[in-house]
Amino acid sequence: MEVPTVTGSACVMITERSLLVHCSANQALRCARIADRPGGGLVVSPHQRDEAGLLATAAYLLRQQNFGAPLLLDAARYAGQARLPASAPFNPRWLRRQRELGLTVLTDSGYVDSDDERGLAGILHRAAILPDVVAVLPLHPLWLRDRMHRAVLTGHIRAAGVPVALVLEAHRDPFALPGVVAGLLEVLRCEVPTLLLRSDISALGALCHGALAAAVGTVGALRHLAPKLPAPRPIPRPAPSTVFRPTLSYRRLGAIARAKRGRADPQLWGCACEVCDGRDVDWMADLPEREREVPAFEHSIRVLRQLREELLGEGVPAEASRRSWTARCVDAAYRSRELGWPPAPMLAHWREAAPRPVARLTA
């Protein structure tokens, strides 16, 4: 399955199993050079709710920078303290401007709370009567965790028959919650093109199990949808984390440096990505704190892209991809315990969701 987007006269396709970069508009120019390659692409959300600035950034990338990979715009009206509910109508201007830029059109959906079936159905119904749009579904985690909610969700998705882009709410990693992986797999079995936005390492699992594309956020706030706070309060900026490949998890740079002191195994810590260039991953911990975020993310996306190629490269059968992903999750949990870290909970959930081998009867 493919979702087309057009830049100028050239048709750019979101091909199956694309690993996208999800960034805010103020990061887009820097991220474009990482994302502009086969099997890649860019999802951009507004910086400080500036929709006009987002559209202007997209126009600049396409017309001045000749960005050649798929480009998606996420209005993110579902996020923040002033987020809109699922019942909020789509903004015709938002849909029109994406078409004028020649992009795949993402709806500017509001948030679907756990008891808002009417809002869920409304998003999908309104998307179904529009030509060639992707229905963005920003979901309370109960829609995937609970079996009854799951049945309602997949029923509406099948009935609408339109491509969907899931955004999952959680305080941290939504795939750490029991039932979310199983729920995602049920959605992927609905046989409609499905994208996953605002994700992290589980993006690879989603791709292995049939997602059309999955987007990895540049920062923690773009790797999940944060719940709405009861009362607004300043949130301190978290210290940068980066992907530590042996444990398939994001780890604080300081934690990586401390773990290395207890086990200085060159094969465990060295990284050949373009950012690290053979150095041990903890080199970023020696940078001034304000200079760590960019190399931490650039290292992460390059490691995830390499894993994508290993898992999903040309000629790799779908079943082999799924088995390899499960095996890597098992190994990553073992490596985590070996280093004295609790394994990322999503590793167990992906392992548990793996299809059981079918026993063959012999005469």
Side-chain angles (χ1 to χ4, degrees), residues 258-326:
R258 288 191 295 274
K260 179 188 167 187
R261 288 196 289 270
R263 182 173 175 171
D265 179 350
Q267 293 184 340
L268 192 63
W269 308 102
C271 179
C273 82
E274 297 170 44
V275 178
C276 296
D277 193 25
R279 291 174 286 188
D280 290 350
V281 180
D282 67 329
W283 71 271
M284 290 174 275
D286 294 329
L287 297 173
E289 189 165 339
R290 66 180 60 186
E291 296 177 16
R292 296 175 186 173
E293 187 175 280
V294 172
F297 171 70
E298 291 191 351
H299 158 81
S300 296
I301 195 62
R302 285 176 167 85
V303 168
L304 293 175
R305 185 181 294 126
Q306 180 60 41
L307 283 166
R308 175 197 174 275
E309 292 307 309
E310 294 170 13
L311 288 161
L312 302 160
E314 187 176 351
V316 178
E319 181 58 34
S321 296
R322 292 192 289 269
R323 287 199 305 268
S324 180
W325 170 246
T326 301

Side-chain angles (χ1 to χ4, degrees), residues 197-216:
L197 307 184
R198 290 188 181 240
S199 188
D200 60 13
I201 291 171
S202 284
L204 294 172
L207 295 177
C208 288
H209 284 267
L212 175 68
V216 177

Side-chain angles (χ1 to χ4, degrees), residues 28-208:
L29 297 184
R30 185 175 70 232
C31 291
R33 60 185 175 82
I34 304 173
D36 192 1
R37 61 194 63 208
L42 197 61
V43 182
V44 190
S45 293
H47 177 58
Q48 298 181 346
R49 308 189 74 86
D50 181 6
E51 184 182 298
L54 171 61
L55 291 165
T57 298
Y60 180 80
L61 284 173
L62 295 170
R63 296 167 182 168
Q64 304 300 320
Q65 298 294 307
N66 297 315
F67 186 77
L71 174 64
L72 304 175
L73 303 184
D74 170 30
R77 298 203 302 166
Y78 53 76
Q81 289 298 107
R83 67 185 181 188
L84 297 180
S87 58
F90 303 151
N91 183 341
R93 180 180 179 277
W94 169 254
L95 303 178
R96 185 182 70 250
R97 287 292 290 124
Q98 290 177 87
R99 292 190 192 284
E100 289 170 353
L101 289 169
L103 302 178
T104 295
V105 178
L106 267 59
T107 62
D108 52 338
S109 310
Y111 170 70
V112 185
D113 212 338
S114 60
D115 58 354
D116 192 6
E117 181 183 351
R118 178 176 292 184
L120 169 68
I123 290 173
L124 290 165
H125 174 73
R126 283 178 276 137
I129 61 178
L130 293 169
D132 302 323
V133 302
V134 176
V136 175
L137 296 180
L139 300 173
H140 186 284
L142 204 61
W143 286 108
L144 295 182
R145 298 186 68 185
D146 175 71
R147 289 190 178 185
M148 291 184 64
H149 279 73
R150 219 183 279 167
V152 172
L153 172 65
T154 54
H156 283 298
I157 289 175
R158 286 191 178 97
V162 296
V164 296
L166 305 183
V167 178
L168 305 181
E169 182 186 52
H171 287 283
R172 291 187 177 87
D173 177 13
F175 292 96
L177 302 173
V180 170
V181 169
L184 173 66
L185 297 187
E186 285 202 27
V187 171
L188 293 175
R189 288 193 285 269
C190 287
E191 297 185 356
V192 300
T194 301
L195 293 78
L196 179 64
L197 307 184
R198 290 188 181 240
S199 188
D200 60 13
I201 291 171
S202 284
L204 294 172
L207 295 177
C208 288

